[in-house]
Amino acid sequence: MSTERVLVLNAGSSSLKYQLLQPDSGAVLAKGLVEQIGEPSGGRHRHTAGGKDHESTGGLVDMPAALAAVGAAFDQHGPDLSAEPPIAVGHRVVHGGTRFQSTTRIDAVVLDTLRALNPLAPLHNPANIAGIEAALELFPQVPQFAIFDTAFHATLPPAAYTYAVPRAWESEHGVRRYGFHGTSHQYVSERVTALIGRPDLATVVLHLGNGCSACAVLDGRSVDTSMGMTPLEGLVMGTRCGDIDPAIPFHLARTAGLGIGELDTALNKQSGLLGLTGDNDFRAVVTRAAAGDAAARAAIDIVTLRLVKYVGAYAAGMGRLDAIAFTGGIGEHNPALRAAVLERLALFGIEIDSAANESAEGETRLTTPGSRVTAYVIPTNEELQIARECTTALRPSAGD
Ligand code: ADP
């Protein structure tokens, strides 16, 4: 088995997550997190290698400083990247628009095109680009690739990606559904295919983390997904509202005098679980609900109903339903929510294996052998998917 290594980078507005891994085996050789980049605290850095954590603080003023700290941590604590450089650096990029529909090798032209997409994802893409620029400086000899959260959804049919708004908005302003979490939806749906042993499946993947999205996957291709032109649409999330009546912002502008910036912040950062309960962390909401907190209980009901409606709609859209997969922090770790969703989908002939659901650890089947739909927990692994995308793109047969 090859020992080639890929460095995967996920640069956010004030954080940088990374992993050095072997795409073949999936072995993680090192990983780390730089947080509070550019904040008055000076930032924090945790580098984990060889089973040991190495923590440091301060000096993380911007993304180049963060990347330099990552390089220094590899020098100091290993693995030694100068002796054996990674074969590629894979960057998670949130929005590829319609221009980037697959993994793309990064060069100056690609970077310029990416910058032009910033208006489509103003909260995410500029940070991703800062990570790419810093990594190009640090690893000038290593091929670097952009792996887009939108790419898996390039197969959406027009009926799923077109909004019923004036036609010209799409060509002039890029107004259409793009979908996100594509790397995760692809990884998880491919695992479902492998576990069931058949490619011709109608699967709904529920990625439930801080951001949440559902994806309808038919015969391995994304045919519908709940996030839209931006990650705001769809399911109830940690701080995002998901689906609302689009006239609500107009109403609030008129009656409460809220401006565009305030509405943007309110719907992206102060809504969802946080808006409903004051807590954006699902664990805290579950704890409060168990203690009888009415707002927390109501929030879980709202989250559940939205999920059930999406699964039902996607089953109808695909014409059948073979599998449901739960992933993300909430999907992987909250048996009560999974049970609540699956119980309400009994009309599809779903029979839950309650013991399996309660004790699920790693990839687990949640339904009985007789269940007409098979449900799973599949821990997502976006870093591995990104690393594998890089090795596929590096193969001589892969066109750029
Ligand atoms: P991100 O979307 O940032 O990658 P995660 O996938 O880690 O985030 O998901 C974070 C969410 O998962 C939080 O709402 C957190 O409360 C929830 N979560 C993590 N562990 C558990 C758990 N054991 N039980 C319930 N929820 C959990």
Side-chain angles (χ1 to χ4, degrees):
M1 187 171 280
S2 156
T3 56
E4 289 173 336
R5 306 165 324 169
V6 173
L7 180 64
V8 174
L9 296 179
N10 181 355
S13 57
S14 64
S15 70
L16 172 67
K17 287 187 217 154
Y18 61 93
Q19 277 193 13
L20 181 72
L21 60 146
Q22 288 178 335
D24 278 2
S25 64
V28 177
L29 307 173
K31 62 180 178 180
L33 172 65
V34 189
E35 290 174 288
Q36 299 168 4
I37 299 169
E39 290 179 15
S41 68
R44 286 194 311 213
H45 180 193
R46 189 182 63 244
H47 179 85
T48 306
K52 288 204 185 104
D53 286 338
H54 306 276
E55 314 250 356
S56 59
T57 51
L60 303 159
V61 293
D62 54 15
M63 197 52 78
L67 239 293
V70 171
F74 276 108
D75 286 346
Q76 211 180 334
H77 308 295
D80 185 349
L81 295 186
S82 343
E84 198 185 335
I87 56 161
V89 178
H91 295 270
R92 179 201 180 205
V93 179
V94 168
H95 215 308
T98 49
R99 172 63 187 76
F100 297 110
Q101 305 208 326
S102 59
T103 295
T104 303
R105 185 157 179 172
I106 296 167
D107 59 21
V109 176
V110 166
L111 253 181
D112 274 345
T113 314
L114 263 180
R115 288 190 191 101
L117 293 177
N118 279 349
L120 279 177
L123 301 179
H124 297 98
N125 271 34
N128 302 152
I129 292 172
I132 293 173
E133 289 168 338
L136 288 171
E137 288 276 320
L138 197 64
F139 305 104
Q141 310 299 336
V142 181
Q144 309 215 8
F145 295 91
I147 291 84
F148 297 94
D149 257 24
T150 46
F152 183 56
H153 306 300
T155 50
L156 291 182
Y161 72 65
T162 309
Y163 292 114
V165 294
R167 258 287 173 204
W169 287 8
E170 186 184 341
S171 56
E172 289 173 16
H173 303 290
V175 173
R176 51 159 282 177
R177 179 183 310 285
Y178 297 96
F180 300 89
H181 288 149
T183 307
S184 176
H185 288 303
Q186 181 175 5
Y187 175 84
V188 171
S189 59
E190 287 179 4
R191 288 303 306 145
V192 171
T193 297
L195 289 168
I196 296 184
R198 257 179 44 207
D200 56 331
L201 294 172
T203 301
V204 175
V205 180
L206 300 172
H207 178 111
L208 311 177
N210 286 312
C212 301
S213 70
C215 184
V217 184
L218 188 61
D219 302 336
R221 295 150 70 90
S222 170
V223 293
D224 211 342
T225 192
S226 59
M227 285 178 167
M229 178 176 162
T230 78
L232 186 55
E233 191 179 348
L235 303 174
V236 177
M237 312 185 209
T239 64
R240 298 188 196 118
C241 56
D243 296 335
I244 59 168
D245 182 337
I248 290 171
F250 317 145
H251 171 75
L252 287 166
R254 284 190 214 104
T255 57
L258 296 187
I260 290 175
E262 289 164 303
L263 287 162
D264 194 335
T265 302
L267 298 179
N268 272 297
K269 303 209 164 121
Q270 298 163 349
S271 296
L273 293 175
L274 181 65
L276 290 169
T277 68
D279 267 309
N280 67 326
D281 192 294
F282 197 71
R283 255 171 307 197
V285 177
V286 168
T287 307
R288 280 173 49 188
D293 182 304
R297 284 191 174 174
I300 292 172
D301 288 345
I302 293 164
V303 165
T304 306
L305 179 60
R306 187 81 54 92
L307 285 165
V308 167
K309 282 161 70 168
Y310 266 94
V311 176
Y314 287 170
M318 291 190 285
R320 63 178 215 274
L321 182 63
D322 299 310
I324 300 172
F326 291 87
T327 196
I330 301 170
E332 291 169 29
H333 300 297
N334 196 272
L337 182 69
R338 294 193 301 254
V341 169
L342 294 174
E343 274 160 17
R344 291 188 67 169
L345 292 167
L347 82 160
F348 290 104
I350 295 178
E351 288 173 21
I352 308 174
D353 178 339
S354 297
N357 181 45
E358 285 300 324
S359 61
E361 196 63 54
E363 289 185 356
T364 308
R365 198 179 70 190
L366 306 173
T367 43
T368 63
S371 180
R372 265 196 282 147
V373 176
T374 313
Y376 291 101
V377 170
I378 310 269
T380 195
N381 195 339
E382 289 161 285
E383 292 81 8
L384 181 57
Q385 183 70 27
I386 288 173
R388 288 182 173 162
E389 286 285 320
C390 291
T391 49
T392 305
L394 274 174
R395 277 191 208 124
S397 57
D400 250 18

